[in-house]
C-alpha cells in the first residue's frame, strides 16, 4: 500500500476524534536556529470541511489494525475492513512536508491497538522522537494515549507532546461495558488519565489533557455525561472534554452491532450542541453542574439552551441591575458572555450605565438579555418577547417536565 | 532578484510614546497593542479614530475605551480587530511552495490593510532556515535573516512553481477524509470562513464548492 492509500485509510479512521485545537500558551524552546515550527497562542485553522469543522492538524492513526472489539468503533477487530500502518519515518516525513507547505498546524497522532498498547505506543513515540530530534520540529503535537499504556511511556510522551488525551467514550463503568466489554473503566482509562495529570502537574504538556465521549452509543444520559465531565475538570484538571454524537453510518449497514442506535436521528447533533453549551457554562460561566436544568429523563432540553433554561427556571432572581450585579450574576444573564461581563465589570468602575445601547456596543446580545436586566433602575423588556406562553408553562410547572440534579443554590 | 532594486520597509510614521496618567499597566499594554493594530488599518481616517480613542481614554479612563462603551471606542477597536483578523486569515490560508534548491518557501495572498510585515514575521519565525517570499497584491516581500525586503512587481512576470507537487495531492486526499457527510452544514462553514476567503482555500473545490 502506498503513502497516499495509507493516508486515506488512516485519515478516515481518525476523523471522529474531535480535538482540533492547536493553542499553546508558550512556544517550545529550540536549542539553536536550526529548527522548524512555531505556535500561535490562540491556535490557527488552516482549512474547513463542508461540515464547518476546522482542519488544523494532520489527524491520523499510526495503524488501524486492532486487537480490541469496541462495538462503536470502525476499527474493531471483527469489522471486515482494510488494515494498514505507517512506519515512524514515513509518518514523520509526511507530516513535515505538509507542515512546510502550511497545510497543517500540528500533528494529532492516535492509533488502534496492534499487538498491545506498549508496542503501538512505542511506534508512536518513535515518530515523535524523529520529529523532535531529527527534524528539530518545535510546533504542536497532540498524542493520544491508548488504554492500558504503561506509565513510563506516558512520561516519555509528555516530554515529546504538547497535549495528551485518553478517550473515555462513556461516562460510567456500566455504560462502557455495553460498548467495549474488554475495557476496564478504572484500570484502562482513569488510571492513564491520572498518570497524565501527574505530568501536567510537573509542568509538562502545556496544552493540558483532554478526553472525548461518544454521545448516544451506550444509552447514557446528559446528567451522567455532565457529572463525569464536571468531575474530570475538578479532580483530574482536564483542559477540555469533547462530545461526539455517535454516527451509525460510519459502519456499513449489516455490520453494525445490534445494541447500538441504527439511525442518526436517534442521536441528534443538537444534543451534542446542548452538551457543549452546558460544558461552556461550567468552564467559563462559573456554573456548577447542579445548577443545570434537566428534564425528567435526565437530559438537557433540546428546544431551549441551558443558560436560558436556568434563567427561566430562576425568574425570581431576575432582572438584575447591571450597574451593581456581582460578576458571577452578570455571567448568569442570557446574552451576556464572559467577555462582555468582564467589559461591564471593568467599565462600571469608571462609568455608570444609563442606556442599553452602551451594552450593545460591548457585545451584549440585547434581544436575549433585555428581559433579565435593569439599566440604571429601568426595566428593559419582558420574557414574553422571547418566549411563547406555552414554552413558559413548561418552566412554571415545576413538578412535571423539569427537575434539577439537586436543589439549586440561591443566587446571591 | 537584484539586491539594489530592493529596499527596506520604512520605519513607521508614528512612534508610540508612553501614555502618561494611566494607572493600569496591563490595560495600558493592551491599549498599546490595539493602537498598533489600528495604525495598520487601510482607512485614512485611522489617525482621527485613534486620536479620538486616546482622548476618550484620558477623559474617561482606559476601561471605558477598551470595554467599547462609546461608538468611538467601538470604531477604534473594530479597526484593530479587522487588522488582526486579516493577519490571522493570511497566516492560516497562505500555502507555501518550497523551492528546495534555493531554500525558499513561496506563497501568495491578497491584503487590504498594512499587515505584510506581521505576516512575514510569522513565517520567518516559523521557518528560520528558509528565505520566505510572499506576493501580497502588487508587492513581493522577501524575508531572510530577520530582514524584510519589499518590491513592486508585475504579476505576470512572476513565475510561480508549476511542478506537480505530490504533497499537494496528499493534502487533498487527507482533507477529503476529514469530512463527515452526516454533519454537512454549509451555513456553519460560511460562518467559520467568509466567502471572500474561499478562493484561497482551494481544497473546497474538492467538494464542488468553488
Amino acid at each position: 500500500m502506498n503513502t497516499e492509500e495509507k493516508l486515506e485509510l488512516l485519515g478516515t479512521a481518525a476523523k471522529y476524534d474531535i480535538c482540533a485545537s492547536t493553542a499553546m500558551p508558550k512556544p517550545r524552546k529550540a536549542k539553536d536556529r536550526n529548527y522548524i515550527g512555531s505556535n500561535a497562542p490562540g491556535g490557527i485553522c488552516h482549512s474547513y470541511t463542508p461540515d464547518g469543522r476546522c482542519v488544523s492538524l494532520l489527524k491520523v492513526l499510526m495503524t488501524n489494525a486492532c486487537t480490541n472489539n469496541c462495538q462503536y468503533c470502525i476499527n474493531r477487530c471483527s469489522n471486515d475492513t482494510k488494515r494498514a500502518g505507517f512506519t515512524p519515518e514515513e509518518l514523520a516525513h509526511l507530516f513535515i512536508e505538509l507542515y512546510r507547505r502550511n497545510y497543517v498546524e500540528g500533528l494529532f497522532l492516535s492509533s488502534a491497538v496492534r499487538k498491545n498498547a506498549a508496542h503501538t505506543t512505542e511506534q508512536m513515540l518513535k515518530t515523535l522522537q524523529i520529529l523532535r530530534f531529527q527534524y528539530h520540529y518545535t510546533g504542536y503535537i497532540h498524542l493520544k494515549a491508548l488504554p492500558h499504556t504503561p506509565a513510563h511511556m506516558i512520561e516519555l510522551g509528555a516530554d515529546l507532546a504538547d497535549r495528551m488525551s485518553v478517550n473515555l467514550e462513556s461516562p460510567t463503568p456500566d455504560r462502557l461495558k455495553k460498548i467495549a466489554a474488554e475495557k476496564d473503566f478504572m484500570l484502562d482509562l482513569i488510571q492513564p488519565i491520572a498518570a497524565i495529570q501527574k505530568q501536567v502537574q510537573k509542568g509538562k504538556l502545556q496544552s493540558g489533557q483532554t478526553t472525548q465521549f461518544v454521545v448516544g452509543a451506550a444509552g447514557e444520559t446528559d446528567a451522567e455525561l455532565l457529572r463525569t465531565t464536571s468531575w474530570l475538570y475538578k479532580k483530574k484538571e482536564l483542559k477540555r472534554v469533547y462530545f461526539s454524537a455517535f454516527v451509525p453510518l460510519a459502519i456499513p449497514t449489516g455490520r453494525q452491532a445490534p445494541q447500538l442506535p441504527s439511525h442518526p436521528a436517534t442521536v441528534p447533533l443538537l444534543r451534542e450542541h446542548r452538551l457543549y453549551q452546558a460544558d461552556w457554562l461550567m468552564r467559563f460561566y462559573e456554573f456548577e453542574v447542579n445548577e443545570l436544568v434537566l428534564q425528567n429523563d435526565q437530559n438537557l432540553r433540546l428546544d431551549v439552551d441551558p443558560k436560558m433554561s436556568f434563567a427561566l427556571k430562576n425568574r425570581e432572581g431576575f432582572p438584575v441591575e447591571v450597574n451593581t450585579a456581582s460578576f458571577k450574576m452578570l455571567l448568569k444573564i442570557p446574552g451576556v458572555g464572559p467577555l462582555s461581563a468582564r467589559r461591564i465589570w471593568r467599565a462600571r468602575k469608571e462609568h455608570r450605565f444609563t442606556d442599553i445601547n452602551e451594552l450593545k456596543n460591548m457585545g451584549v446580545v440585547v434581544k436575549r438579555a433585555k428581559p433579565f436586566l435593569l439599566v440604571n433602575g429601568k426595566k428593559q423588556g419582558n420574557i414574553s418577547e422571547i418566549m411563547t406562553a406555552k414554552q413558559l408553562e413548561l418552566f412554571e410547572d415545576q413538578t412535571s417536565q423539569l427537575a434539577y440534579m439537586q436543589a439549586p443554590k440561591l443566587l446571591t | 532578484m537584484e539586491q539594489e532594486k530592493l529596499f527596506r520597509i520604512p520605519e513607521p510614521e508614528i512612534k508610540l510614546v508612553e501614555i502618561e496618567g494611566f494607572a493600569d499597566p496591563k490595560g495600558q499594554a493592551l491599549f498599546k497593542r490595539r493602537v498598533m493594530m489600528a495604525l495598520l488599518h487601510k482607512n485614512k481616517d485611522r489617525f482621527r479614530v485613534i486620536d479620538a480613542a486616546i482622548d476618550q481614554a484620558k477623559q474617561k479612563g482606559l476601561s471605558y475605551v477598551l470595554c467599547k462603551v462609546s461608538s468611538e471606542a467601538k470604531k477604534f477597536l473594530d479597526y484593530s480587530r479587522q487588522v488582526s483578523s486579516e493577519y490571522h486569515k493570511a497566516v492560516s490560508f497562505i500555502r507555501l511552495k518550497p523551492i528546495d534548491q534555493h531554500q525558499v518557501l513561496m506563497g501568495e495572498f491578497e491584503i487590504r490593510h498594512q499587515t505584510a510585515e506581521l505576516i512575514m514575521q510569522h513565517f520567518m519565525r516559523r521557518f528560520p532556515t528558509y528565505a520566505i517570499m510572499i506576493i501580497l497584491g502588487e508587492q513581493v516581500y522577501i524575508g531572510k535573516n530577520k530582514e524584510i525586503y519589499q518590491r513592486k512587481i508585475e504579476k505576470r512576470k512572476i513565475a510561480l512553481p508549476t511542478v506537480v507537487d505530490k504533497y499537494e495531492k496528499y493534502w487533498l486526499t487527507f482533507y477529503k477524509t476529514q469530512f463527515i457527510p452526516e454533519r454537512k452544514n454549509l451555513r456553519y462553514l460560511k460562518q467559520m470562513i467568509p466567502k471572500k476567503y474561499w478562493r484561497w482555500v482551494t481544497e473546497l473545490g474538492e467538494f464542488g464548492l468553488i
Side-chain angles (χ1 to χ4, degrees), chain B residues 14-143:
Chain B
I14 293 181
K15 279 189 178 173
L16 276 181
V17 291
E18 289 289 319
I19 304 168
E20 287 177 13
F22 296 162
D24 172 19
K26 224 174 172 182
Q28 207 180 104
L30 181 64
F31 186 72
K32 272 190 202 173
R33 270 205 303 280
R34 298 282 180 263
V35 171
M36 285 302 288
M37 283 297 181
L39 274 172
L40 303 176
H41 199 276
K42 70 180 168 69
N43 284 1
K44 284 180 182 166
D45 71 347
R46 62 184 182 274
F47 301 113
R48 192 183 53 72
V49 172
I50 293 167
D51 277 348
I54 292 173
D55 285 346
Q56 238 171 39
K58 281 178 178 169
Q59 285 166 22
K60 301 198 171 184
L62 264 185
S63 300
Y64 185 84
V65 175
L66 288 173
C67 297
K68 293 213 276 190
V69 182
S70 66
S71 49
E72 289 84 358
K74 186 173 184 295
K75 191 167 186 185
F76 161 67
L77 291 169
D78 281 350
Y79 273 24
S80 168
R81 186 182 47 78
Q82 284 161 14
V83 172
S84 301
S85 166
E86 182 178 273
Y87 159 70
H88 198 263
K89 290 286 184 293
V91 299
S92 301
F93 301 137
I94 288 177
R95 304 294 184 229
L96 298 171
K97 289 180 190 291
I99 306 167
D100 282 333
Q101 63 268 40
H102 303 301
Q103 280 284 95
V104 171
L105 295 173
M106 192 173 174
E108 190 183 0
F109 203 66
E110 290 277 334
I111 52 172
R112 295 187 309 148
H113 307 291
Q114 301 163 58
T115 48
E117 198 176 338
L118 294 177
I119 296 165
M120 290 300 292
Q121 278 170 0
H122 169 85
F123 286 114
M124 287 162 71
R125 227 174 12 246
R126 179 160 288 199
F127 304 107
T129 56
Y130 289 88
I132 307 292
M133 182 174 170
I134 296 183
I135 300 163
L136 297 165
E138 293 181 341
Q139 308 284 334
V140 62
Y141 292 83
I142 297 172

Side-chain angles (χ1 to χ4, degrees), chain A residues 47-48 53 101 105 272, chain B residues 126 165 175 178 183 203:
Chain A
S47 193
Y48 294 87
R53 292 188 315 144
R101 286 157 178 79
E105 189 64 13
E272 181 190 292
Chain B
R126 179 160 288 199
D165 183 5
Y175 170 75
Q178 295 303 294
R183 286 175 174 264
E203 55 270 21

Side-chain angles (χ1 to χ4, degrees), chain A residues 5-229:
Chain A
E5 286 167 333
K6 285 183 193 176
L7 188 60
E8 190 171 359
L9 197 63
L10 299 170
T12 305
K15 71 177 168 186
Y16 295 102
D17 269 311
I18 299 294
C19 182
S21 163
T22 56
M24 277 165 73
K26 287 178 195 165
R28 196 173 260 268
K29 277 182 187 164
K31 282 181 184 166
D32 49 40
R33 275 184 59 78
N34 188 27
Y35 69 90
I36 179 168
S38 63
N39 69 296
I44 292 175
C45 276
H46 289 279
S47 193
Y48 294 87
T49 53
D51 50 28
R53 292 188 315 144
C54 153
V55 183
S56 55
L57 297 164
L58 178 65
K59 204 184 283 177
V60 284
L61 301 188
M62 194 78 214
T63 174
N64 67 344
C66 196
T67 54
N68 288 341
N69 199 28
C70 306
Q71 295 304 310
Y72 59 89
C73 182
I74 195 168
N75 301 314
R76 66 177 193 263
C77 60
S78 63
N79 196 24
D80 180 22
T81 186
K82 270 189 189 175
R83 307 286 171 174
F86 283 115
T87 63
E89 295 78 11
E90 184 183 20
L91 181 55
H93 183 71
L94 172 68
F95 169 72
I96 280 293
E97 289 301 329
L98 293 178
Y99 187 81
R100 225 158 53 113
R101 286 157 178 79
N102 209 34
Y103 287 132
V104 289
E105 189 64 13
L107 175 66
F108 179 105
L109 186 54
S110 183
S111 186
V113 183
R114 189 166 171 263
K115 290 184 186 172
N116 54 52
H119 172 81
T120 314
T121 308
E122 198 181 320
Q123 296 292 301
M124 293 159 84
L125 291 175
K126 204 171 165 194
T127 309
L128 267 51
Q129 282 171 329
I130 294 172
L131 283 173
R132 293 291 190 213
F133 304 125
Q134 199 172 309
Y135 290 106
H136 306 283
Y137 171 66
T138 55
Y140 181 86
I141 295 177
H142 180 152
L143 178 67
K144 186 70 76 180
L146 306 177
H148 221 62
T149 302
H152 73 278
M153 287 191 163
I154 286 184
E155 196 172 346
L156 186 55
D159 286 331
L160 296 166
D162 301 294
R163 167 170 281 184
M164 284 182 81
S165 57
V166 177
N167 280 1
L168 268 182
E169 316 292 15
S170 281
T172 62
D174 294 344
R175 299 290 184 189
L176 185 72
K177 275 277 168 279
K178 283 189 182 174
I179 54 169
E182 303 100 326
K183 285 183 189 168
D184 183 307
F185 190 76
M186 295 307 289
L187 212 65
D188 292 342
L189 303 175
I190 299 297
Q191 207 160 290
I193 286 178
I196 295 172
Q197 184 189 17
K198 275 186 191 164
Q199 301 304 316
V200 174
Q201 286 167 343
K202 282 182 191 170
K204 296 178 187 176
L205 295 169
Q206 56 164 320
S207 297
Q209 180 181 194
T210 62
T211 192
Q212 181 175 325
F213 291 116
V214 183
V215 179
E220 69 293 306
T221 63
D222 291 349
E224 287 173 325
L225 286 165
L226 292 167
R227 272 193 208 110
T228 309
T229 300

Side-chain angles (χ1 to χ4, degrees), chain A residues 134 164 185 262 282 286 317 330:
Chain A
Q134 199 172 309
M164 284 182 81
F185 190 76
S262 57
M282 291 194 286
E286 301 187 15
L330 287 173

Side-chain angles (χ1 to χ4, degrees), chain A residues 48 55 118 169 174 196 235 272 283 285 288 385 400 410:
Chain A
Y48 294 87
V55 183
E169 316 292 15
D174 294 344
I196 295 172
K235 301 290 178 193
E272 181 190 292
R283 288 194 299 139
Y285 291 74
E288 293 294 330
E385 290 169 21
S400 62
L410 280 176

